[in-house]
Amino acid sequence: MRGLKIAAIVAGAIIILVIGGVVIYRIAVEEGGPAFEKAFNDSFLENCLTSARQAAASSGKSGPEIDATIQRRCTCALEVVKPLPVSDKVLLGRSEEKQREVLAEVQKRCQ
């Protein structure tokens, strides 16, 4: 009898965790979508600019013309990424395959 009570408590806890996960997912992705999108876009652009400027500097390139090119290419890269669904944006941080796919599209469109 005691084993059944423990099993029922564990099953109840699992159900609560699953429901809680679904609720958190809906809040974060569906209802919090615009906030996620803005944060993602801002972070993506900032990281792109920082990375490109560091690469240019380590190659000995600098100046307003280089900075304008970096700004243009990073803005273009953001335009490639913006329409992706949230699930793909999340995958960008985890999947090398998704990163290669997006990078190929950026290289094609943002030269």
Side-chain angles (χ1 to χ4, degrees):
M1 193 60 123
R2 182 171 181 171
L4 284 175
K5 287 182 181 179
I6 292 173
I9 291 170
V10 170
I14 290 172
I15 290 170
I16 290 170
L17 287 173
V18 169
I19 291 171
V22 169
V23 169
I24 290 169
Y25 174 81
R26 290 193 68 194
I27 289 170
V29 175
E30 293 175 6
E31 297 166 2
F36 172 83
E37 292 289 337
K38 180 171 179 4
F40 179 89
N41 294 342
D42 292 348
S43 177
F44 181 90
L45 184 58
E46 181 181 330
N47 289 335
C48 180
L49 292 169
T50 300
S51 218
R53 287 177 180 139
Q54 287 174 348
S58 68
S59 298
K61 299 176 183 176
S62 63
E65 187 176 304
I66 296 296
D67 199 53
T69 300
I70 290 170
Q71 184 71 41
R72 181 177 49 79
R73 288 188 178 162
C74 286
T75 300
C76 178
L78 178 59
E79 291 305 314
V80 170
V81 172
K82 266 185 185 180
L84 294 175
V86 170
S87 58
D88 283 356
K89 290 177 180 177
V90 170
L91 272 178
L92 278 175
R94 299 182 185 154
S95 167
E96 288 183 32
E97 181 181 339
K98 180 53 77 178
Q99 291 168 8
R100 283 191 298 271
E101 179 185 311
V102 170
L103 182 59
E105 185 63 25
V106 167
Q107 288 175 337
K108 184 168 67 173
R109 290 177 42 187
C110 301
Q111 294 304 318

